[in-house]
Amino acid sequence: YRRIHKIPDNLGTAVTVQQMVFGNLGPSSGTGIAFSRSPSTGEKRLYGEFMFQAQGEDIVAGIRTPDPLYTLKDKKPGLLEDLQRNATILENHYKDVQDIEFTVEEGNLYLLQTRAAKRTAQAGIKIAVELAEEGIISKEEALLRIEPSYIRPLLKHTIDPNGCVDVIANGLGASSGAATGIIVFDPEEAERHHRTGQPAILVRSETTPEDIHGMVASDGILTTRGGVTSHAAVVARDLGKPCVVGCESIKINYGQKQLHVNDLTLIEGDTITICGSSGRVIRGEIPLVAPVFSREFLTLLHWADEFKTMGVYCSVNSPKEARISRSMGAEGVGLCRTEQMFMEPHRMPYVTKMILARNIWERKQALSNLIPMQKEDFLGIFRSMEGKKVNVRLLDPPLHEFLPSQEALALEIERARVAMNVKEMEEKEKLLKRIKILHESNPAFGHRGCRMGITYPEIYEIQARIIAYAALELKKEKVYVYPQIIVPLLSHSNEMKEVRETVTKALEEVFAAMGDRIEIPIGAFLEIPRACITAHKIANYADFFIFGTNDLTSSAFAFSRDDAEGKYLAYYLDHKVLPENPFVVLDQEGVGELISIGINKGKKVKPGLSIGICGEHTSDPSSVEFMQENHMEFISCLPHLVPAGKIAAAQAAIKAKMLQNKKDTD
Amino acid sequence: YRRIHKIPDNLGTAVTVQQMVFGNLGPSSGTGIAFSRSPSTGEKRLYGEFMFQAQGEDIVAGIRTPDPLYTLKDKKPGLLEDLQRNATILENHYKDVQDIEFTVEEGNLYLLQTRAAKRTAQAGIKIAVELAEEGIISKEEALLRIEPSYIRPLLKHTIDPNGCVDVIANGLGASSGAATGIIVFDPEEAERHHRTGQPAILVRSETTPEDIHGMVASDGILTTRGGVTSHAAVVARDLGKPCVVGCESIKINYGQKQLHVNDLTLIEGDTITICGSSGRVIRGEIPLVAPVFSREFLTLLHWADEFKTMGVYCSVNSPKEARISRSMGAEGVGLCRTEQMFMEPHRMPYVTKMILARNIWERKQALSNLIPMQKEDFLGIFRSMEGKKVNVRLLDPPLHEFLPSQEALALEIERARVAMNVKEMEEKEKLLKRIKILHESNPAFGHRGCRMGITYPEIYEIQARIIAYAALELKKEKVYVYPQIIVPLLSHSNEMKEVRETVTKALEEVFAAMGDRIEIPIGAFLEIPRACITAHKIANYADFFIFGTNDLTSSAFAFSRDDAEGKYLAYYLDHKVLPENPFVVLDQEGVGELISIGINKGKKVKPGLSIGICGEHTSDPSSVEFMQENHMEFISCLPHLVPAGKIAAAQAAIKAKMLQNKKDTD
């Protein structure tokens, strides 16, 4: 718990001394938990549970399922009103929704403890916005109360209410959002699957603090006992993970790694889906629908736009993603990856041909087949980003992803040989030979990005032409868009110079042919340490900079991400060799320092240089604060994470302003 | 020519106007070239060639083979003495050996041109040392005149004079050293083989300036026409490549890509060896012997030791290499690679077992087989480095180099399946499965170095123990050695901390068991950008720093060296995208800047931090100057390049002093 919440090990625990009261003295005694607003939906009404003839532990442990709070009404008139009055006083005092433990001893109400309540993301938003609207807190405070990563489930697709689903059990929805994954019965197993990227649902009769690491590693949590205030429910809400509790019809057999529900038996590894809002447990994977934003969420995003100073752009691979991003409020495209467009099944053969081409003619021919498809893509993306900047990254294909496996091909050749199918054998042998020539020992650090664009200039030439044609075509329709071209994988300023020349020449040819022009700035993608170190040289040929934090992390650490995450990174994190996964939380000490060096060197040559940033780190708040400090023009997020990015950007701006105000008054 | 010698394209060509004289006026006219000392051996006597009834071009083009200079004696008395007197005057004036073009017009001597003579490495050393001994130049000037890369052939093994060799032809030895390679007939072909690392001998009837790129890419040059002053000979000496010219018995058929000599026919791709000293052309590959240093060379090295301020250490893989290095004058071991020790055929199976181990017990068992071998190695290396520092790098195994190929294994399984050999099939399937788990997408950036040492601490623990045992064993014999331990592939200071703890604990256990101790400092190998950027943190746990320039170049550029050199680097160099191959000439702008950052940050924490440097760049003079400027304690060279390293270090020290003196007087 301390590790996850980053509480230092050397902080002590406070001890409070208070009068002893008993909830188990008789039928008019009991104990309960009350929330001043619903921690599940945020609704403004007293919410909670009560258990007669019980002490506090009985209710928290989730051993007996308690009654809803309103049942108190029938037992003792005035008690509920009393509780409500106290809850309001406490909420106004602490300026936040309260989680109150109370005991009734022979009809008398005693408050044992109050604290800010853990809540679901949905509730958190509603509560923050309403508190601000009620004047209890400011808009800034409301924004600062939202942990961007915890609202991610709200941005995800949820279970289609009209879909055909196979509900096998119903429990209590304790933390909203839907999750699909394979069944695992112990936390270690959950961790193991997490490392391989396999989503898992942790299924337990109840959870204890020893299970936290497994809960962190799971995509969802399902318990057979306990209520919405049990350990599992509280922790799941805190972690922002979907959770269903008290699903008593399910019986777990830990020894055999099975669960039984009615006549059905599921084993570890079977897929289930849980819905943390409705409490449904569903067999298999099921269709999901796009999220719908509440009024409060939209209000919050509106406030975020008011306060943030950085643009929140999106990183997209297709027109569809561009449309989703725009609808999510994206203010531009920070990164449009062109190689991903090629990964679609019906386009792959042409790309493979292009890569296998033995000479410029074969390559140009293969490319020509891709022209109409790429143009359609650009038209679609530009159209949905009307009036906005669209940063298009020139092709950066990881070669090996487009080529057949050598092992499989060798097997096919061997089989053709045994079957004496000479023609097939010879053809495949020729292909294998070519693939072997193209084979790279370390493809992530190989003949990619501008290295490919420089050795085969016809590729970037054609891409530049398509971008220009698409933009001019839309201009004729009076759809205005601001495309920018990014050059990937730069390590030396001469690479930028070379590509700039190729691209400029291609653009000018299109402008001349079309009798019209449009400004298309050409910028540098900084994702290699040497590029940061020599940014002052690169800036001479670049109209803007964009940092790519994924690859920069990889090259600064000399970590091949695929190998690191599968092999030693989990060990490093467990043993605190690394404080955080640097692919998730920006490593400010190393990678951040390289970014700062790059910015300083670039701005020395071009003081007004515009600087943006892309990468997974744009969805981590501490990383976004770093980006704010470094005055990025924009951060670029995944399409569905744009709203989270806006909140993070607003928080970073508010914090920066607070710090500035503090400095000014000091 | 301009490109190789780095002469800018915008420099003009001077025009000299002089009296016209004719060497083709009659039998008492002629033209010749004289050297004030032999450009081939350095011997102090007039040397050259003369051709009657000819103009200068005739002799340079190598179309007719000229007569030796002494034949002039018989033609006209006093002429040779006259030439000798003039040569001495010119040499004393220009303080260097002169290459004089002259013409005799009807018995009268005219000097047409004089310039510093191109010379072989061997001659260069002899001339420089003798000029210094004669008082014409200073020792410093003598040292500065030696291009370290050009003396490399002298450091290489030469043809065993007692070996059984199949001499197929004899030409004129025009540039000393022996070279073995496959026959290629055109410069483009030579370049193509150079890219794949295949040594080649360029065979031409004569060479022209258009062939220079092919000569650069060849390991040796053989021409069938021309003398020791022909284009091929001059350029080869200048490039420091072995060269045989005027080998008239060989007939080339360019069309068929064949050469004929007597009854023998060799085709492109056949292997030959040439000896640039004796002029022999030998069929096939032949035994070579260790170099013997001339008196002048030893004198020069002695002078180098006087002037240089950095230590010249060696990088070794085995006791044998350590012995060679010591005999070459190495002042310590900068880098003892422990993984290379494992690469020997009879050790490989144990290493493969260690890597394939499924758990700590299997791993420890495999390791235990390697203990006696590693101990023998350390004893041998330490013994030959008595009184010196030996920096031992802990294991940094590139996993894939130790594992069987997946493709080959898949084929073997398929064949076993067809042959219905179930047992073999199942065993190999198990092995393949394990290899697939260990497979890395980018092994050069994968689970290597300290990443492996941290996840499997037993490996470094055992290595530390062996080092301590070996050193203490020698201490008992009164053989004192100063071992130091280097931690490879660091990216984060916690890695250094972690390994330091493991190693210190292991060392202390050995000291306690042996009842004796020895100081073994533990240092950081900086070869990853992030390590340089955070060197101030790493310095807290490191007793010294060593920079590894090969891997640092690779990670700073995000270049996988294997892929770069085979794929785009040749294009980059040809098209001047990169000014130099950064794996040969240190990229001071980027990689050098990272090194400077690392040094500054490290010294801020530990002002007296000792800093060394390893990598191929230690044999490039401009890179060595950078190392001098950065006050390296030592540079570490390949065993046979230690003398070249000493000269480069002396030159760098002399230049730095000159610069300092100039600054002081300004």
Side-chain angles (χ1 to χ4, degrees), chain A residues 414 439 441-442 444-445 451 494-495 530 558 560 563 567 572 577 587, chain B residues 415 439 441-442 444-445 451 494-495 530 558 560 563 567 572 577 587:
Chain A
E414 175 66 15
H439 170 79
S441 326
N442 302 287
F445 300 80
R451 299 168 194 172
N494 285 350
E495 293 173 320
R530 195 187 181 284
S560 156
D563 304 320
K567 304 242 150 70
Y572 267 36
V577 178
D587 158 50
Chain B
R415 281 176 196 147
H439 171 79
S441 325
N442 302 287
F445 300 80
R451 299 168 193 174
N494 285 349
E495 293 175 319
R530 195 187 183 283
S560 156
D563 304 319
K567 304 242 152 65
Y572 268 34
V577 178
D587 159 50

mmCIF file of all heavy atoms in Angstrom, chain A residues 414 439 441-442 444-445 451 494-495 530 558 560 563 567 572 577 587, chain B residues 415 439 441-442 444-445 451 494-495 530 558 560 563 567 572 577 587:
data_model
loop_
_atom_site.group_PDB
_atom_site.id
_atom_site.type_symbol
_atom_site.label_atom_id
_atom_site.label_comp_id
_atom_site.label_asym_id
_atom_site.label_seq_id
_atom_site.Cartn_x
_atom_site.Cartn_y
_atom_site.Cartn_z
ATOM 1 N N GLU A 414 11.709 -26.599 -46.789
ATOM 2 C CA GLU A 414 12.039 -27.994 -46.481
ATOM 3 C C GLU A 414 10.869 -28.907 -46.883
ATOM 4 O O GLU A 414 11.076 -29.953 -47.475
ATOM 5 C CB GLU A 414 12.353 -28.115 -44.982
ATOM 6 C CG GLU A 414 12.593 -29.531 -44.482
ATOM 7 C CD GLU A 414 13.846 -30.165 -45.048
ATOM 8 O OE1 GLU A 414 14.691 -29.430 -45.606
ATOM 9 O OE2 GLU A 414 13.979 -31.405 -44.957
ATOM 10 N N HIS A 439 17.645 -8.868 -43.411
ATOM 11 C CA HIS A 439 17.575 -9.173 -41.981
ATOM 12 C C HIS A 439 18.452 -8.229 -41.160
ATOM 13 O O HIS A 439 19.565 -7.904 -41.547
ATOM 14 C CB HIS A 439 18.010 -10.615 -41.729
ATOM 15 C CG HIS A 439 18.178 -10.918 -40.280
ATOM 16 N ND1 HIS A 439 17.104 -11.184 -39.465
ATOM 17 C CD2 HIS A 439 19.275 -10.948 -39.495
ATOM 18 C CE1 HIS A 439 17.551 -11.381 -38.230
ATOM 19 N NE2 HIS A 439 18.863 -11.243 -38.232
ATOM 20 N N SER A 441 20.063 -7.406 -37.199
ATOM 21 C CA SER A 441 20.318 -7.985 -35.886
ATOM 22 C C SER A 441 19.523 -7.258 -34.818
ATOM 23 O O SER A 441 19.081 -7.842 -33.846
ATOM 24 C CB SER A 441 21.793 -7.885 -35.519
ATOM 25 O OG SER A 441 22.598 -8.007 -36.632
ATOM 26 N N ASN A 442 19.397 -5.943 -34.976
ATOM 27 C CA ASN A 442 18.704 -5.126 -33.977
ATOM 28 C C ASN A 442 17.775 -4.160 -34.706
ATOM 29 O O ASN A 442 18.068 -2.967 -34.818
ATOM 30 C CB ASN A 442 19.729 -4.343 -33.143
ATOM 31 C CG ASN A 442 20.721 -5.258 -32.461
ATOM 32 O OD1 ASN A 442 20.384 -5.934 -31.497
ATOM 33 N ND2 ASN A 442 21.932 -5.304 -32.973
ATOM 34 N N ALA A 444 15.145 -2.498 -34.178
ATOM 35 C CA ALA A 444 14.668 -1.248 -33.581
ATOM 36 C C ALA A 444 15.718 -0.149 -33.739
ATOM 37 O O ALA A 444 15.399 1.040 -33.673
ATOM 38 C CB ALA A 444 14.329 -1.452 -32.109
ATOM 39 N N PHE A 445 16.971 -0.556 -33.928
ATOM 40 C CA PHE A 445 18.048 0.425 -34.059
ATOM 41 C C PHE A 445 18.668 0.315 -35.459
ATOM 42 O O PHE A 445 19.841 0.591 -35.636
ATOM 43 C CB PHE A 445 19.098 0.187 -32.969
ATOM 44 C CG PHE A 445 18.540 0.307 -31.580
ATOM 45 C CD1 PHE A 445 17.827 -0.731 -30.985
ATOM 46 C CD2 PHE A 445 18.684 1.482 -30.868
ATOM 47 C CE1 PHE A 445 17.281 -0.604 -29.716
ATOM 48 C CE2 PHE A 445 18.139 1.613 -29.596
ATOM 49 C CZ PHE A 445 17.438 0.570 -29.012
ATOM 50 N N ARG A 451 16.787 7.142 -42.022
ATOM 51 C CA ARG A 451 17.881 6.377 -42.637
ATOM 52 C C ARG A 451 17.384 5.717 -43.912
ATOM 53 O O ARG A 451 18.098 5.635 -44.909
ATOM 54 C CB ARG A 451 18.362 5.298 -41.670
ATOM 55 C CG ARG A 451 18.900 5.892 -40.387
ATOM 56 C CD ARG A 451 19.109 4.851 -39.293
ATOM 57 N NE ARG A 451 19.298 5.547 -38.021
ATOM 58 C CZ ARG A 451 19.350 4.940 -36.849
ATOM 59 N NH1 ARG A 451 19.212 3.621 -36.772
ATOM 60 N NH2 ARG A 451 19.537 5.646 -35.763
ATOM 61 N N ASN A 494 22.872 16.638 -40.617
ATOM 62 C CA ASN A 494 22.897 16.447 -42.068
ATOM 63 C C ASN A 494 21.726 15.613 -42.561
ATOM 64 O O ASN A 494 21.305 15.739 -43.705
ATOM 65 C CB ASN A 494 24.202 15.761 -42.506
ATOM 66 C CG ASN A 494 25.367 16.719 -42.477
ATOM 67 O OD1 ASN A 494 25.193 17.930 -42.319
ATOM 68 N ND2 ASN A 494 26.572 16.189 -42.602
ATOM 69 N N GLU A 495 21.215 14.735 -41.701
ATOM 70 C CA GLU A 495 20.049 13.943 -42.096
ATOM 71 C C GLU A 495 18.856 14.871 -42.283
ATOM 72 O O GLU A 495 18.101 14.770 -43.247
ATOM 73 C CB GLU A 495 19.730 12.881 -41.035
ATOM 74 C CG GLU A 495 20.794 11.794 -40.921
ATOM 75 C CD GLU A 495 20.554 10.835 -39.765
ATOM 76 O OE1 GLU A 495 20.143 11.290 -38.677
ATOM 77 O OE2 GLU A 495 20.787 9.635 -39.931
ATOM 78 N N ARG A 530 21.765 11.589 -29.465
ATOM 79 C CA ARG A 530 22.650 12.471 -30.205
ATOM 80 C C ARG A 530 21.902 13.651 -30.812
ATOM 81 O O ARG A 530 22.463 14.739 -30.982
ATOM 82 C CB ARG A 530 23.385 11.695 -31.301
ATOM 83 C CG ARG A 530 24.569 12.473 -31.834
ATOM 84 C CD ARG A 530 25.217 11.826 -33.031
ATOM 85 N NE ARG A 530 26.351 12.604 -33.460
ATOM 86 C CZ ARG A 530 26.262 13.749 -34.139
ATOM 87 N NH1 ARG A 530 25.084 14.229 -34.460
ATOM 88 N NH2 ARG A 530 27.354 14.408 -34.487
ATOM 89 N N ALA A 558 19.502 2.688 -23.662
ATOM 90 C CA ALA A 558 19.930 1.550 -24.473
ATOM 91 C C ALA A 558 19.129 0.303 -24.071
ATOM 92 O O ALA A 558 19.656 -0.783 -23.927
ATOM 93 C CB ALA A 558 21.435 1.292 -24.389
ATOM 94 N N SER A 560 16.185 -2.100 -25.266
ATOM 95 C CA SER A 560 15.238 -2.521 -26.280
ATOM 96 C C SER A 560 13.959 -2.782 -25.509
ATOM 97 O O SER A 560 13.902 -3.659 -24.661
ATOM 98 C CB SER A 560 15.730 -3.796 -26.958
ATOM 99 O OG SER A 560 14.647 -4.481 -27.511
ATOM 100 N N ASP A 563 12.521 -6.321 -25.207
ATOM 101 C CA ASP A 563 13.313 -7.237 -24.398
ATOM 102 C C ASP A 563 13.280 -6.828 -22.932
ATOM 103 O O ASP A 563 13.195 -7.663 -22.043
ATOM 104 C CB ASP A 563 14.745 -7.274 -24.916
ATOM 105 C CG ASP A 563 14.792 -7.647 -26.396
ATOM 106 O OD1 ASP A 563 14.010 -8.540 -26.779
ATOM 107 O OD2 ASP A 563 15.566 -7.060 -27.141
ATOM 108 N N LYS A 567 11.903 -9.156 -19.992
ATOM 109 C CA LYS A 567 12.994 -9.860 -19.328
ATOM 110 C C LYS A 567 13.380 -9.300 -17.958
ATOM 111 O O LYS A 567 13.153 -9.909 -16.947
ATOM 112 C CB LYS A 567 14.228 -9.877 -20.252
ATOM 113 C CG LYS A 567 13.932 -10.495 -21.626
ATOM 114 C CD LYS A 567 14.752 -11.733 -21.898
ATOM 115 C CE LYS A 567 14.057 -12.732 -22.799
ATOM 116 N NZ LYS A 567 13.922 -12.312 -24.186
ATOM 117 N N TYR A 572 13.723 -5.283 -12.103
ATOM 118 C CA TYR A 572 14.258 -3.966 -11.741
ATOM 119 C C TYR A 572 13.253 -3.172 -10.892
ATOM 120 O O TYR A 572 13.637 -2.480 -9.958
ATOM 121 C CB TYR A 572 14.585 -3.175 -13.012
ATOM 122 C CG TYR A 572 16.018 -3.327 -13.479
ATOM 123 C CD1 TYR A 572 16.705 -4.535 -13.343
ATOM 124 C CD2 TYR A 572 16.698 -2.265 -14.070
ATOM 125 C CE1 TYR A 572 18.008 -4.673 -13.782
ATOM 126 C CE2 TYR A 572 18.010 -2.391 -14.505
ATOM 127 C CZ TYR A 572 18.657 -3.599 -14.359
ATOM 128 O OH TYR A 572 19.956 -3.715 -14.781
ATOM 129 N N VAL A 577 15.523 -1.234 -8.439
ATOM 130 C CA VAL A 577 16.713 -0.788 -9.170
ATOM 131 C C VAL A 577 16.305 0.445 -9.974
ATOM 132 O O VAL A 577 17.044 1.420 -10.064
ATOM 133 C CB VAL A 577 17.255 -1.894 -10.095
ATOM 134 C CG1 VAL A 577 18.455 -1.406 -10.883
ATOM 135 C CG2 VAL A 577 17.624 -3.139 -9.292
ATOM 136 N N ASP A 587 11.510 9.564 -17.192
ATOM 137 C CA ASP A 587 12.720 9.595 -16.365
ATOM 138 C C ASP A 587 13.328 10.994 -16.481
ATOM 139 O O ASP A 587 14.091 11.279 -17.392
ATOM 140 C CB ASP A 587 13.675 8.520 -16.889
ATOM 141 C CG ASP A 587 15.114 8.785 -16.488
ATOM 142 O OD1 ASP A 587 15.348 9.033 -15.290
ATOM 143 O OD2 ASP A 587 15.985 8.767 -17.377
ATOM 144 N N ARG B 415 13.152 -32.367 -39.799
ATOM 145 C CA ARG B 415 13.773 -33.569 -40.369
ATOM 146 C C ARG B 415 13.594 -34.761 -39.437
ATOM 147 O O ARG B 415 13.328 -35.878 -39.898
ATOM 148 C CB ARG B 415 15.255 -33.315 -40.660
ATOM 149 C CG ARG B 415 15.386 -32.539 -41.968
ATOM 150 C CD ARG B 415 16.794 -32.132 -42.325
ATOM 151 N NE ARG B 415 16.707 -31.098 -43.359
ATOM 152 C CZ ARG B 415 17.553 -30.089 -43.504
ATOM 153 N NH1 ARG B 415 18.579 -29.963 -42.679
ATOM 154 N NH2 ARG B 415 17.375 -29.222 -44.465
ATOM 155 N N HIS B 439 14.939 -15.624 -26.654
ATOM 156 C CA HIS B 439 15.154 -14.826 -27.865
ATOM 157 C C HIS B 439 14.932 -13.343 -27.609
ATOM 158 O O HIS B 439 14.004 -12.959 -26.904
ATOM 159 C CB HIS B 439 14.207 -15.299 -28.966
ATOM 160 C CG HIS B 439 14.216 -14.385 -30.147
ATOM 161 N ND1 HIS B 439 15.218 -14.416 -31.092
ATOM 162 C CD2 HIS B 439 13.383 -13.374 -30.511
ATOM 163 C CE1 HIS B 439 14.983 -13.473 -31.995
ATOM 164 N NE2 HIS B 439 13.879 -12.834 -31.668
ATOM 165 N N SER B 441 14.572 -9.389 -29.424
ATOM 166 C CA SER B 441 14.337 -8.694 -30.684
ATOM 167 C C SER B 441 15.549 -7.859 -31.061
ATOM 168 O O SER B 441 15.881 -7.712 -32.221
ATOM 169 C CB SER B 441 13.142 -7.749 -30.583
ATOM 170 O OG SER B 441 12.162 -8.266 -29.764
ATOM 171 N N ASN B 442 16.191 -7.267 -30.053
ATOM 172 C CA ASN B 442 17.330 -6.401 -30.301
ATOM 173 C C ASN B 442 18.425 -6.747 -29.304
ATOM 174 O O ASN B 442 18.643 -6.027 -28.325
ATOM 175 C CB ASN B 442 16.927 -4.932 -30.141
ATOM 176 C CG ASN B 442 15.789 -4.552 -31.072
ATOM 177 O OD1 ASN B 442 15.977 -4.421 -32.273
ATOM 178 N ND2 ASN B 442 14.602 -4.400 -30.507
ATOM 179 N N ALA B 444 21.550 -6.555 -29.002
ATOM 180 C CA ALA B 444 22.619 -5.624 -28.624
ATOM 181 C C ALA B 444 22.133 -4.656 -27.543
ATOM 182 O O ALA B 444 22.932 -4.054 -26.823
ATOM 183 C CB ALA B 444 23.119 -4.861 -29.843
ATOM 184 N N PHE B 445 20.812 -4.475 -27.435
ATOM 185 C CA PHE B 445 20.248 -3.550 -26.463
ATOM 186 C C PHE B 445 19.386 -4.323 -25.462
ATOM 187 O O PHE B 445 18.435 -3.796 -24.916
ATOM 188 C CB PHE B 445 19.427 -2.480 -27.185
ATOM 189 C CG PHE B 445 20.233 -1.680 -28.168
ATOM 190 C CD1 PHE B 445 20.523 -2.166 -29.430
ATOM 191 C CD2 PHE B 445 20.752 -0.449 -27.808
ATOM 192 C CE1 PHE B 445 21.297 -1.442 -30.330
ATOM 193 C CE2 PHE B 445 21.513 0.288 -28.695
ATOM 194 C CZ PHE B 445 21.795 -0.215 -29.957
ATOM 195 N N ARG B 451 22.691 -5.826 -16.506
ATOM 196 C CA ARG B 451 21.273 -6.237 -16.429
ATOM 197 C C ARG B 451 21.199 -7.723 -16.097
ATOM 198 O O ARG B 451 20.332 -8.162 -15.349
ATOM 199 C CB ARG B 451 20.586 -5.972 -17.770
ATOM 200 C CG ARG B 451 20.616 -4.501 -18.139
ATOM 201 C CD ARG B 451 20.218 -4.259 -19.577
ATOM 202 N NE ARG B 451 20.577 -2.882 -19.935
ATOM 203 C CZ ARG B 451 20.486 -2.363 -21.138
ATOM 204 N NH1 ARG B 451 20.043 -3.117 -22.138
ATOM 205 N NH2 ARG B 451 20.834 -1.119 -21.368
ATOM 206 N N ASN B 494 21.581 3.193 -9.668
ATOM 207 C CA ASN B 494 21.204 2.069 -8.798
ATOM 208 C C ASN B 494 21.796 0.753 -9.269
ATOM 209 O O ASN B 494 22.001 -0.159 -8.470
ATOM 210 C CB ASN B 494 19.682 1.926 -8.732
ATOM 211 C CG ASN B 494 19.058 3.002 -7.862
ATOM 212 O OD1 ASN B 494 19.762 3.721 -7.166
ATOM 213 N ND2 ASN B 494 17.750 3.116 -7.912
ATOM 214 N N GLU B 495 22.027 0.641 -10.571
ATOM 215 C CA GLU B 495 22.647 -0.581 -11.079
ATOM 216 C C GLU B 495 24.067 -0.688 -10.525
ATOM 217 O O GLU B 495 24.508 -1.748 -10.082
ATOM 218 C CB GLU B 495 22.678 -0.568 -12.613
ATOM 219 C CG GLU B 495 21.299 -0.658 -13.244
ATOM 220 C CD GLU B 495 21.323 -0.522 -14.764
ATOM 221 O OE1 GLU B 495 22.093 0.332 -15.281
ATOM 222 O OE2 GLU B 495 20.589 -1.232 -15.447
ATOM 223 N N ARG B 530 22.507 7.655 -21.089
ATOM 224 C CA ARG B 530 21.957 8.015 -19.792
ATOM 225 C C ARG B 530 23.004 7.950 -18.686
ATOM 226 O O ARG B 530 22.942 8.679 -17.703
ATOM 227 C CB ARG B 530 20.773 7.104 -19.438
ATOM 228 C CG ARG B 530 19.961 7.676 -18.293
ATOM 229 C CD ARG B 530 18.886 6.742 -17.803
ATOM 230 N NE ARG B 530 18.121 7.389 -16.754
ATOM 231 C CZ ARG B 530 18.550 7.526 -15.515
ATOM 232 N NH1 ARG B 530 19.728 7.079 -15.172
ATOM 233 N NH2 ARG B 530 17.799 8.145 -14.616
ATOM 234 N N ALA B 558 21.837 5.659 -31.736
ATOM 235 C CA ALA B 558 20.826 4.608 -31.905
ATOM 236 C C ALA B 558 21.090 3.839 -33.187
ATOM 237 O O ALA B 558 20.186 3.532 -33.961
ATOM 238 C CB ALA B 558 19.408 5.158 -31.864
ATOM 239 N N SER B 560 22.471 0.355 -34.608
ATOM 240 C CA SER B 560 22.957 -0.991 -34.390
ATOM 241 C C SER B 560 24.127 -1.129 -35.354
ATOM 242 O O SER B 560 23.958 -1.035 -36.561
ATOM 243 C CB SER B 560 21.863 -1.991 -34.740
ATOM 244 O OG SER B 560 22.434 -3.232 -35.059
ATOM 245 N N ASP B 563 23.967 -3.545 -38.317
ATOM 246 C CA ASP B 563 23.032 -3.179 -39.362
ATOM 247 C C ASP B 563 23.501 -1.934 -40.104
ATOM 248 O O ASP B 563 23.384 -1.836 -41.308
ATOM 249 C CB ASP B 563 21.642 -2.954 -38.765
ATOM 250 C CG ASP B 563 21.165 -4.198 -38.002
ATOM 251 O OD1 ASP B 563 21.401 -5.302 -38.505
ATOM 252 O OD2 ASP B 563 20.587 -4.048 -36.925
ATOM 253 N N LYS B 567 24.272 -1.783 -44.010
ATOM 254 C CA LYS B 567 23.138 -1.248 -44.761
ATOM 255 C C LYS B 567 23.315 0.212 -45.228
ATOM 256 O O LYS B 567 23.450 0.464 -46.391
ATOM 257 C CB LYS B 567 21.862 -1.369 -43.910
ATOM 258 C CG LYS B 567 21.608 -2.816 -43.476
ATOM 259 C CD LYS B 567 20.312 -3.357 -44.020
ATOM 260 C CE LYS B 567 20.293 -4.858 -44.220
ATOM 261 N NZ LYS B 567 20.401 -5.657 -43.020
ATOM 262 N N TYR B 572 25.789 6.764 -46.383
ATOM 263 C CA TYR B 572 25.937 7.999 -45.606
ATOM 264 C C TYR B 572 27.322 8.623 -45.808
ATOM 265 O O TYR B 572 27.454 9.837 -45.891
ATOM 266 C CB TYR B 572 25.733 7.706 -44.117
ATOM 267 C CG TYR B 572 24.307 7.888 -43.633
ATOM 268 C CD1 TYR B 572 23.229 7.595 -44.453
ATOM 269 C CD2 TYR B 572 24.048 8.364 -42.345
ATOM 270 C CE1 TYR B 572 21.931 7.755 -44.002
ATOM 271 C CE2 TYR B 572 22.750 8.533 -41.884
ATOM 272 C CZ TYR B 572 21.690 8.233 -42.720
ATOM 273 O OH TYR B 572 20.414 8.406 -42.276
ATOM 274 N N VAL B 577 26.585 12.411 -45.722
ATOM 275 C CA VAL B 577 25.583 12.652 -44.675
ATOM 276 C C VAL B 577 26.320 12.628 -43.334
ATOM 277 O O VAL B 577 26.066 13.433 -42.445
ATOM 278 C CB VAL B 577 24.462 11.588 -44.708
ATOM 279 C CG1 VAL B 577 23.467 11.833 -43.582
ATOM 280 C CG2 VAL B 577 23.760 11.604 -46.061
ATOM 281 N N ASP B 587 33.037 10.759 -32.882
ATOM 282 C CA ASP B 587 32.138 11.865 -33.200
ATOM 283 C C ASP B 587 32.169 12.846 -32.032
ATOM 284 O O ASP B 587 31.443 12.701 -31.059
ATOM 285 C CB ASP B 587 30.728 11.289 -33.410
ATOM 286 C CG ASP B 587 29.652 12.324 -33.238
ATOM 287 O OD1 ASP B 587 29.761 13.393 -33.851
ATOM 288 O OD2 ASP B 587 28.707 12.064 -32.460
#
